[in-house]
Amino acid sequence: MIIIETGDITHCPDDVIVNAANTSLLGGGGVDGAIHDAAGPKLLQYCQKMAETEGVRCPIGDARITPAFNLPSRHIIHTVGPRHGIDVDSHRLLASAYRNSLIVAKKQGIKNIAFPAISCGVYRYPHDEATEIALRTCAESDRQDLQIRFVLFSADVFEAWQNTARTLELGSCVVVKS
Ligand code: AR6
């Protein structure tokens, strides 16, 4: 089941929350900054020790897992979305960010996962396109027993996702919580 709702992902008690990170995994603004602030300094220390090649710890479209430290969730999956209008093949890369996050979650036996709107802030992905990619990729996931939540930070983003979700005809697997 896929649930769309508003909220602050740093408050979510799900098994795993997903971070919209950058390739360094060393923090930034937006949801990445909020997650690092709430998780505490041990998250940054942990990320600094992760394998990297020329500053890249996670390529665009890929995903890495860490503990959640001071957050109520158990793990954080850090993924990197594409920069709209800059990164080539951004549709495929955004779908990969969701798909690879779900693959990492599956390997950990995770039962519920909360996503933010990856690439929809600083990376400027249009909400209608991002919503379609996110929902179709998650709906295609083979995990029937995985609960997926989209936790959207503001009322206008929630409304944009809600409106697009209703046009996609994904059936009863998508529930909008207003
Ligand atoms: N809970 C849920 N969603 C949030 C929260 C929160 N606490 N805070 C912000 N959002 P962005 P991106 C929403 O910019 O576009 C960082 O600097 C926000 O309103 O966080 O993938 C990274 O280090 C927006 O709808 O991520 C990268 O450099 C959505 O999260 C870059 O930004 C994503 O916005 C990644 O950019």
Side-chain angles (χ1 to χ4, degrees):
M1 177 187 284
I2 299 173
I3 298 168
I4 300 173
E5 61 190 15
T6 52
D8 181 338
I9 208 163
T10 65
H11 298 164
C12 290
D14 301 69
D15 291 341
V16 63
I17 64 166
V18 177
N19 183 16
N22 58 63
T23 56
S24 77
L25 298 188
L26 298 184
V31 70
D32 193 9
I35 286 173
H36 273 266
D37 285 349
K42 285 187 179 166
L43 175 59
L44 179 59
Q45 289 160 17
Y46 189 97
C47 290
Q48 283 168 331
K49 290 179 189 152
M50 291 168 78
E52 56 113 346
T53 306
E54 294 175 1
V56 174
R57 291 180 179 79
C58 181
I60 302 170
D62 217 334
R64 302 283 184 270
I65 192 164
T66 70
F69 299 101
N70 296 339
L71 287 166
S73 55
R74 286 200 290 135
H75 304 280
I76 305 165
I77 291 175
H78 306 260
T79 190
V80 183
R83 295 164 298 174
H84 190 262
I86 297 176
D87 293 314
V88 176
D89 213 3
S90 62
H91 182 122
R92 183 187 61 78
L93 289 169
L94 186 55
S96 290
Y98 283 103
R99 194 174 300 113
N100 283 321
S101 296
L102 294 171
I103 289 169
V104 171
K106 182 176 180 174
K107 281 187 191 151
Q108 291 287 322
I110 280 161
K111 298 281 183 226
N112 49 69
I113 182 167
F115 282 101
I118 298 165
S119 287
C120 288
V122 175
Y123 287 174
R124 304 178 68 84
Y125 224 96
H127 283 290
D128 53 350
E129 289 178 41
T131 309
E132 178 159 6
I133 293 165
L135 294 180
R136 288 204 189 283
T137 305
C138 289
E140 282 161 13
S141 159
D142 62 345
R143 291 287 315 277
Q144 300 302 321
D145 55 343
L146 180 65
Q147 182 185 274
I148 300 171
R149 292 204 292 152
F150 285 92
V151 178
L152 305 170
F153 201 43
S154 61
D156 56 327
V157 172
F158 172 73
E159 202 173 315
W161 279 60
Q162 180 182 38
N163 290 341
T164 302
R166 289 194 171 131
T167 67
L168 293 180
E169 297 180 354
L170 292 169
S172 57
C173 79
V174 178
V175 175
V176 177
K177 275 194 185 175
S178 43

